[in-house]
């Protein structure tokens, strides 16, 4: 059974750095084809992809947010960390981490429950 | 504005069939695999369709996906009130080098 859980601060001040952790079980990020992605959703709006990391440490970022994002994995702890610098109120939303598998043709197969992050002074 | 275009809303009566579209381009849907996700209010998205037409084992065969050229379609037959949700399509855009989603379609079962 695959599970993912997001954790981190729920309120962040503008210009601060947001660090979110995805702790997962049921698969290994050391296994070929496995990946974890981050997707966010502003209140009442659509899904927006942020970043991906694969078993081989291949990292992909949203071009519009690339300069502000860092994704890293700790396979021994079954965790993926997303860092976003210089946050702004427009970064408010629910942040999801999701399991991605190349064997599922790149789909986000399992999702965490999400964490609502509010950027406000 | 989303790279993939979905109608904001669709509706149909219980028991009927509904389809919803996802329009893209030659750099995304045209050459990559499309996924569909179902999202209930306040809940995380759930994978419905992957690789354009395949269903995870826990998804009933009332849900189907298809792709033609640069467009994809999600179909739902035997509509139930419990199918009322937002539906998103997603795929990789090779030119943009990013995962792209549609703006979502809200399904109402009248």
């Amino acid at each position: 059974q695959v599970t993912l859980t997001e954790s981190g601060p729920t309120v962040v001040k503008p210009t601060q750095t947001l660090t979110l952790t995805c702790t997962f079980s049921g698969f290994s990020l050391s296994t070929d084809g496995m990946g974890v992605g981050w997707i966010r959703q502003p209140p009442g709006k659509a899904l927006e992809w942020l970043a991906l990391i694969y078993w081989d440490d291949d990292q992909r970022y949203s071009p519009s947010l690339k300069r502000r994002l860092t994704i890293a994995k700790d396979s021994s702890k079954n965790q993926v960390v997303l860092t976003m610098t210089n946050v702004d109120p427009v970064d408010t939303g629910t942040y999801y981490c999701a399991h991605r598998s190349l064997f599922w043709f790149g789909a986000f197969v399992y999702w965490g429950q999400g964490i609502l992050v509010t950027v406000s002074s | 504005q989303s790279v993939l275009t979905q109608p904001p809303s669709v509706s149909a009566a219980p028991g009927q069939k509904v389809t919803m579209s996802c329009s893209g381009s030659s750099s995304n849907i045209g050459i990559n695999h499309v996924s569909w996700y179902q999202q209930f209010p306040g809940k995380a998205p759930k994978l419905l369709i992957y690789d354009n037409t395949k269903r995870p084992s826990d998804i009933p065969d009332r849900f189907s996906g298809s792709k033609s050229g640069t467009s994809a379609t999600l179909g739902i037959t035997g509509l139930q009130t419990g199918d009322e949700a937002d539906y998103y399509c997603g795929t990789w855009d090779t030119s943009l080098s990013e995962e792209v989603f549609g703006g979502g379609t809200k399904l109402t079962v009248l």
Side-chain angles (χ1 to χ4, degrees):
Chain A
Q1 179 187 2
V2 174
T3 64
L4 303 100
T5 304
E6 304 89 350
S7 59
T10 56
V11 180
V12 186
K13 292 183 180 347
T15 75
Q16 288 187 336
T17 294
L18 170 66
T19 299
L20 297 173
T21 300
C22 176
T23 303
F24 56 87
S25 64
F27 69 97
S28 172
L29 252 186
S30 299
T31 301
D32 285 6
M34 297 296 110
V36 170
W38 285 92
I39 302 101
R40 72 178 178 182
Q41 186 172 36
K45 295 189 177 181
L47 302 171
E48 178 186 17
W49 172 73
L50 300 177
L52 269 170
I53 191 164
Y54 287 105
W55 81 100
D56 59 357
D57 210 35
D58 181 17
Q59 299 155 30
R60 307 293 178 98
Y61 295 98
S62 165
S64 63
L65 294 167
K66 184 175 183 177
R67 61 181 176 85
R68 298 173 53 208
L69 296 176
T70 303
I71 191 169
K73 65 180 175 69
D74 186 333
S75 299
S76 64
K77 293 183 178 179
N78 281 354
Q79 290 183 331
V80 170
V81 176
L82 180 73
T83 302
M84 176 183 287
T85 61
N86 192 27
V87 297
D88 181 90
V90 299
D91 295 314
T92 293
T94 299
Y95 286 71
Y96 298 99
C97 64
H99 167 246
R100 185 178 178 97
S101 170
L102 296 182
F103 303 110
W104 288 68
F105 299 90
F108 291 107
V109 186
Y110 302 99
W111 295 63
Q113 82 280 5
I115 181 170
L116 176 59
V117 177
T118 301
V119 180
S120 173
S121 55
Chain B
Q1 187 158 342
S2 303
V3 173
L4 304 181
T5 301
Q6 296 183 252
S9 63
V10 296
S11 62
Q16 296 301 304
K17 175 182 178 178
V18 72
T19 61
M20 57 189 78
S21 61
C22 175
S23 178
S25 70
S26 57
S27 64
N28 44 63
I29 292 179
I31 56 173
N32 292 311
H33 307 280
V34 178
S35 301
W36 288 90
Y37 305 90
Q38 177 189 57
Q39 186 181 34
F40 294 108
K43 300 296 186 181
K46 178 180 181 179
L47 179 65
L48 278 182
I49 299 290
Y50 68 100
D51 189 21
N52 309 320
T53 62
K54 296 182 173 64
R55 284 177 291 106
S57 59
D58 63 330
I59 301 302
D61 60 5
R62 299 189 299 109
F63 295 88
S64 64
S66 64
K67 187 178 100 168
S68 178
T70 59
S71 292
T73 301
L74 175 70
I76 311 174
T77 60
L79 274 173
Q80 303 171 2
T81 56
D83 295 330
E84 286 199 338
D86 293 324
Y87 293 83
Y88 293 91
C89 56
T91 188
W92 184 259
D93 190 297
T94 301
S95 293
L96 299 175
S97 292
E98 65 176 322
E99 183 78 10
V100 291
F101 292 100
T105 295
K106 182 177 181 61
L107 170 63
T108 301
V109 181
L110 303 168

